[in-house]
Amino acid sequence: MTGDFIRKRVYDYYWNNDHNCAVVTLKNLAEYFDITLSNQVLDSALGMHGAGKYGAQCGLVEGVLLFLGIYGRHKDLDDEDTITLC
């Protein structure tokens, strides 16, 4: 991912479309790795504003962890390898 690509996409997803950080991260990674995300995945990430605004784990971390599970399945990794990536 180039910095320019990331800046443009983050700006568009976050500022223009009002997506939270988890959704922005998921969409960026899916675009970069050419993986289609189901609407259910994006819907499930709606409440991930630092663990539902609780202030726990950041949406940037949550989005990456969700994506790694999707990526692991896409690459036919076994569960333990995906867990290690996380």
Side-chain angles (χ1 to χ4, degrees), residues 15-66:
W15 293 107
N16 294 336
N17 294 300
D18 198 31
H19 294 309
N20 66 34
C21 293
V23 172
V24 170
T25 302
L26 281 164
K27 285 177 153 276
N28 271 305
L29 290 169
E31 252 183 82
Y32 183 78
F33 289 102
D34 196 28
I35 294 175
T36 302
L37 298 175
S38 73
N39 287 334
Q40 281 184 312
V41 171
L42 297 172
D43 292 346
S44 71
L46 285 176
M48 294 184 167
H49 295 274
K53 295 191 179 182
Y54 173 72
Q57 195 170 48
C58 172
L60 295 173
V61 175
E62 294 167 333
V64 172
L65 292 173
L66 283 168

